[in-house]
Amino acid sequence: MVKLLKKSIGILGGSFDPAHKGHYKISKIAIKKLNLNKVFWLVSKKNPFKKAPFYSLAQRISKARIVTKGDKKIAVKYLDKIVGSSRSIDLIKYVINENKQNDIYFIIGSDNLIQFHKWKSWKKIVKLVQLIVFSRKGYDRKSRKSIVAKYLKKKIFFVNNKPITISSTKIKKELLKTN
């Protein structure tokens, strides 16, 4: 009998409004540090904690594909329609079901860890996947004291990356200034 080698998949989810080089950098760091075979960028229709997206869904998917063009280790996916939900728990369950022989890592920024306890079924999420938290300037100290960090104790993998100063919010603010 042939033994199947386990593969590792990272999930980076979000509205990607718009996708940018910061998303790409953390994906590349995750691939290297965690020895991931693939990172799925799961573009969601709408983030339940944010206002309506600046760009249309089609534009966000297109921009994400432009940022990742030519990188075989990063796949841009829109699964909300297939899954019937844009909630992380539902998307994670779908990815796990479709990739049974893989280890799944869920990649978020330290800013998201602070509010993670407000996410639907967050305790189920951390049971299903390994939580990977990337540094975001101004959020790291508070994230390490968050409800989820205390709950998981040492089960979170914090990545000490160089600060990534680009953000979708900054990009949109700059665009609005020029228009």
Side-chain angles (χ1 to χ4, degrees):
M1 181 176 245
V2 178
K3 186 177 180 181
L4 294 172
L5 295 175
K6 264 194 168 185
K7 291 186 177 180
S8 299
I9 295 172
I11 296 173
L12 180 62
S15 52
F16 292 92
D17 189 28
H20 52 72
K21 289 182 181 178
H23 295 124
Y24 187 73
K25 279 183 186 176
I26 65 171
S27 298
K28 295 306 281 183
I29 294 167
I31 288 165
K32 187 175 181 182
K33 286 195 178 216
L34 303 169
N35 198 27
L36 300 178
N37 297 89
K38 202 90 162 165
V39 171
F40 294 154
W41 283 17
L42 301 185
V43 181
S44 65
K45 190 170 186 174
K46 185 182 177 324
N47 181 327
F49 297 108
K50 294 182 180 177
K51 295 176 189 169
F54 186 83
Y55 290 101
S56 72
L57 178 61
Q59 288 173 313
R60 290 182 285 127
I61 292 168
S62 175
K63 288 176 186 300
R65 289 192 172 128
I66 290 167
V67 172
T68 61
K69 188 176 181 173
D71 196 318
K72 291 179 170 53
K73 290 211 171 210
I74 301 174
V76 176
K77 296 177 175 280
Y78 173 66
L79 300 176
D80 294 15
K81 227 177 201 172
I82 297 166
V83 175
S85 171
S86 61
R87 299 287 185 172
S88 295
I89 184 64
D90 300 321
L91 297 169
I92 288 167
K93 285 179 179 178
Y94 178 83
V95 170
I96 289 170
N97 195 43
E98 292 294 305
N99 300 277
K100 288 184 171 67
Q101 295 299 319
N102 298 311
D103 291 323
I104 309 291
Y105 297 86
F106 191 57
I107 303 164
I108 64 171
S110 59
D111 56 326
N112 281 314
L113 185 61
I114 295 165
Q115 301 296 319
F116 197 75
H117 66 283
K118 295 179 180 177
W119 291 27
K120 183 179 182 226
S121 305
W122 71 269
K123 287 183 180 179
K124 285 183 185 175
I125 292 172
V126 297
K127 284 181 182 175
L128 294 172
V129 296
Q130 172 65 53
L131 195 58
I132 309 299
V133 180
F134 272 80
S135 177
R136 288 286 306 264
K137 189 175 181 174
Y139 297 98
D140 293 353
R141 186 174 295 157
K142 198 171 179 181
S143 73
R144 289 178 184 270
K145 294 178 180 180
S146 69
I147 291 169
V148 178
K150 289 176 183 173
Y151 174 82
L152 291 175
K153 296 179 177 81
K154 300 203 184 280
K155 293 180 184 171
I156 298 175
F157 183 77
F158 286 95
V159 179
N160 293 317
N161 53 292
K162 290 179 185 172
I164 294 169
T165 55
I166 191 170
S167 75
S168 297
T169 303
K170 280 185 182 179
I171 292 170
K172 289 181 281 199
K173 280 182 183 175
E174 287 300 314
L175 283 170
L176 290 171
K177 277 185 198 175
T178 58
N179 290 336

PDB file of all heavy atoms in Angstrom, residues 5-20:
ATOM      1  N   LEU A   5       1.438  11.189   1.476  1.00  0.00           N
ATOM      2  CA  LEU A   5       2.129  12.236   2.209  1.00  0.00           C
ATOM      3  C   LEU A   5       1.155  13.362   2.501  1.00  0.00           C
ATOM      4  O   LEU A   5       0.437  13.812   1.618  1.00  0.00           O
ATOM      5  CB  LEU A   5       3.302  12.773   1.388  1.00  0.00           C
ATOM      6  CG  LEU A   5       4.434  11.797   1.121  1.00  0.00           C
ATOM      7  CD1 LEU A   5       5.453  12.433   0.186  1.00  0.00           C
ATOM      8  CD2 LEU A   5       5.101  11.397   2.425  1.00  0.00           C
ATOM      9  N   LYS A   6       1.134  13.795   3.751  1.00  0.00           N
ATOM     10  CA  LYS A   6       0.259  14.897   4.114  1.00  0.00           C
ATOM     11  C   LYS A   6       0.773  16.188   3.508  1.00  0.00           C
ATOM     12  O   LYS A   6       1.965  16.433   3.466  1.00  0.00           O
ATOM     13  CB  LYS A   6       0.206  15.045   5.632  1.00  0.00           C
ATOM     14  CG  LYS A   6      -0.954  14.368   6.257  1.00  0.00           C
ATOM     15  CD  LYS A   6      -1.142  14.834   7.677  1.00  0.00           C
ATOM     16  CE  LYS A   6      -2.489  14.348   8.156  1.00  0.00           C
ATOM     17  NZ  LYS A   6      -2.819  14.830   9.451  1.00  0.00           N
ATOM     18  N   LYS A   7      -0.141  16.995   3.049  1.00  0.00           N
ATOM     19  CA  LYS A   7       0.198  18.310   2.537  1.00  0.00           C
ATOM     20  C   LYS A   7      -0.350  19.351   3.509  1.00  0.00           C
ATOM     21  O   LYS A   7      -1.264  19.076   4.269  1.00  0.00           O
ATOM     22  CB  LYS A   7      -0.390  18.519   1.143  1.00  0.00           C
ATOM     23  CG  LYS A   7       0.271  17.662   0.089  1.00  0.00           C
ATOM     24  CD  LYS A   7      -0.242  18.015  -1.273  1.00  0.00           C
ATOM     25  CE  LYS A   7       0.495  17.186  -2.312  1.00  0.00           C
ATOM     26  NZ  LYS A   7       0.045  17.495  -3.667  1.00  0.00           N
ATOM     27  N   SER A   8       0.224  20.511   3.442  1.00  0.00           N
ATOM     28  CA  SER A   8      -0.208  21.600   4.306  1.00  0.00           C
ATOM     29  C   SER A   8      -0.780  22.735   3.475  1.00  0.00           C
ATOM     30  O   SER A   8      -0.181  23.153   2.489  1.00  0.00           O
ATOM     31  CB  SER A   8       0.977  22.124   5.119  1.00  0.00           C
ATOM     32  OG  SER A   8       1.498  21.105   5.931  1.00  0.00           O
ATOM     33  N   ILE A   9      -1.951  23.214   3.908  1.00  0.00           N
ATOM     34  CA  ILE A   9      -2.640  24.291   3.211  1.00  0.00           C
ATOM     35  C   ILE A   9      -2.882  25.433   4.187  1.00  0.00           C
ATOM     36  O   ILE A   9      -3.354  25.218   5.303  1.00  0.00           O
ATOM     37  CB  ILE A   9      -3.989  23.804   2.641  1.00  0.00           C
ATOM     38  CG1 ILE A   9      -3.754  22.746   1.567  1.00  0.00           C
ATOM     39  CG2 ILE A   9      -4.804  24.966   2.083  1.00  0.00           C
ATOM     40  CD1 ILE A   9      -5.020  22.071   1.081  1.00  0.00           C
ATOM     41  N   GLY A  10      -2.588  26.642   3.743  1.00  0.00           N
ATOM     42  CA  GLY A  10      -2.904  27.834   4.508  1.00  0.00           C
ATOM     43  C   GLY A  10      -4.148  28.476   3.930  1.00  0.00           C
ATOM     44  O   GLY A  10      -4.363  28.451   2.718  1.00  0.00           O
ATOM     45  N   ILE A  11      -4.972  29.030   4.803  1.00  0.00           N
ATOM     46  CA  ILE A  11      -6.159  29.764   4.368  1.00  0.00           C
ATOM     47  C   ILE A  11      -5.984  31.209   4.818  1.00  0.00           C
ATOM     48  O   ILE A  11      -5.796  31.479   6.003  1.00  0.00           O
ATOM     49  CB  ILE A  11      -7.449  29.200   4.997  1.00  0.00           C
ATOM     50  CG1 ILE A  11      -7.709  27.770   4.543  1.00  0.00           C
ATOM     51  CG2 ILE A  11      -8.638  30.106   4.676  1.00  0.00           C
ATOM     52  CD1 ILE A  11      -8.876  27.103   5.264  1.00  0.00           C
ATOM     53  N   LEU A  12      -6.042  32.116   3.857  1.00  0.00           N
ATOM     54  CA  LEU A  12      -6.053  33.543   4.146  1.00  0.00           C
ATOM     55  C   LEU A  12      -7.374  34.064   3.599  1.00  0.00           C
ATOM     56  O   LEU A  12      -7.571  34.130   2.392  1.00  0.00           O
ATOM     57  CB  LEU A  12      -4.863  34.248   3.478  1.00  0.00           C
ATOM     58  CG  LEU A  12      -4.751  35.754   3.701  1.00  0.00           C
ATOM     59  CD1 LEU A  12      -4.577  36.073   5.185  1.00  0.00           C
ATOM     60  CD2 LEU A  12      -3.599  36.325   2.900  1.00  0.00           C
ATOM     61  N   GLY A  13      -8.292  34.340   4.485  1.00  0.00           N
ATOM     62  CA  GLY A  13      -9.612  34.775   4.056  1.00  0.00           C
ATOM     63  C   GLY A  13      -9.819  36.248   4.283  1.00  0.00           C
ATOM     64  O   GLY A  13      -9.111  36.876   5.074  1.00  0.00           O
ATOM     65  N   GLY A  14     -10.777  36.802   3.569  1.00  0.00           N
ATOM     66  CA  GLY A  14     -11.103  38.200   3.783  1.00  0.00           C
ATOM     67  C   GLY A  14     -11.802  38.798   2.593  1.00  0.00           C
ATOM     68  O   GLY A  14     -12.037  38.144   1.579  1.00  0.00           O
ATOM     69  N   SER A  15     -12.114  40.085   2.714  1.00  0.00           N
ATOM     70  CA  SER A  15     -12.784  40.771   1.616  1.00  0.00           C
ATOM     71  C   SER A  15     -11.788  41.173   0.529  1.00  0.00           C
ATOM     72  O   SER A  15     -12.182  41.405  -0.599  1.00  0.00           O
ATOM     73  CB  SER A  15     -13.563  41.981   2.131  1.00  0.00           C
ATOM     74  OG  SER A  15     -12.740  42.812   2.912  1.00  0.00           O
ATOM     75  N   PHE A  16     -10.499  41.271   0.870  1.00  0.00           N
ATOM     76  CA  PHE A  16      -9.471  41.655  -0.104  1.00  0.00           C
ATOM     77  C   PHE A  16      -9.950  42.892  -0.874  1.00  0.00           C
ATOM     78  O   PHE A  16     -10.033  42.871  -2.093  1.00  0.00           O
ATOM     79  CB  PHE A  16      -9.146  40.500  -1.064  1.00  0.00           C
ATOM     80  CG  PHE A  16      -8.455  39.347  -0.393  1.00  0.00           C
ATOM     81  CD1 PHE A  16      -9.184  38.280   0.122  1.00  0.00           C
ATOM     82  CD2 PHE A  16      -7.073  39.321  -0.275  1.00  0.00           C
ATOM     83  CE1 PHE A  16      -8.551  37.210   0.745  1.00  0.00           C
ATOM     84  CE2 PHE A  16      -6.428  38.252   0.347  1.00  0.00           C
ATOM     85  CZ  PHE A  16      -7.168  37.204   0.861  1.00  0.00           C
ATOM     86  N   ASP A  17     -10.217  43.950  -0.119  1.00  0.00           N
ATOM     87  CA  ASP A  17     -10.851  45.140  -0.683  1.00  0.00           C
ATOM     88  C   ASP A  17      -9.927  46.350  -0.656  1.00  0.00           C
ATOM     89  O   ASP A  17     -10.189  47.281   0.110  1.00  0.00           O
ATOM     90  CB  ASP A  17     -12.145  45.410   0.091  1.00  0.00           C
ATOM     91  CG  ASP A  17     -12.998  46.487  -0.525  1.00  0.00           C
ATOM     92  OD1 ASP A  17     -12.937  46.684  -1.741  1.00  0.00           O
ATOM     93  OD2 ASP A  17     -13.741  47.141   0.248  1.00  0.00           O
ATOM     94  N   PRO A  18      -8.887  46.381  -1.444  1.00  0.00           N
ATOM     95  CA  PRO A  18      -8.423  45.432  -2.464  1.00  0.00           C
ATOM     96  C   PRO A  18      -7.299  44.537  -1.933  1.00  0.00           C
ATOM     97  O   PRO A  18      -6.705  44.808  -0.884  1.00  0.00           O
ATOM     98  CB  PRO A  18      -7.871  46.355  -3.556  1.00  0.00           C
ATOM     99  CG  PRO A  18      -7.251  47.482  -2.767  1.00  0.00           C
ATOM    100  CD  PRO A  18      -8.187  47.681  -1.576  1.00  0.00           C
ATOM    101  N   ALA A  19      -6.991  43.511  -2.717  1.00  0.00           N
ATOM    102  CA  ALA A  19      -5.817  42.672  -2.440  1.00  0.00           C
ATOM    103  C   ALA A  19      -4.579  43.530  -2.698  1.00  0.00           C
ATOM    104  O   ALA A  19      -4.591  44.411  -3.546  1.00  0.00           O
ATOM    105  CB  ALA A  19      -5.813  41.458  -3.365  1.00  0.00           C
ATOM    106  N   HIS A  20      -3.508  43.257  -1.953  1.00  0.00           N
ATOM    107  CA  HIS A  20      -2.291  44.061  -2.114  1.00  0.00           C
ATOM    108  C   HIS A  20      -1.046  43.243  -1.773  1.00  0.00           C
ATOM    109  O   HIS A  20      -1.144  42.065  -1.389  1.00  0.00           O
ATOM    110  CB  HIS A  20      -2.363  45.333  -1.257  1.00  0.00           C
ATOM    111  CG  HIS A  20      -2.700  45.082   0.177  1.00  0.00           C
ATOM    112  ND1 HIS A  20      -1.820  44.505   1.072  1.00  0.00           N
ATOM    113  CD2 HIS A  20      -3.841  45.319   0.872  1.00  0.00           C
ATOM    114  CE1 HIS A  20      -2.384  44.422   2.254  1.00  0.00           C
ATOM    115  NE2 HIS A  20      -3.626  44.900   2.159  1.00  0.00           N
TER     116      HIS A  20
END
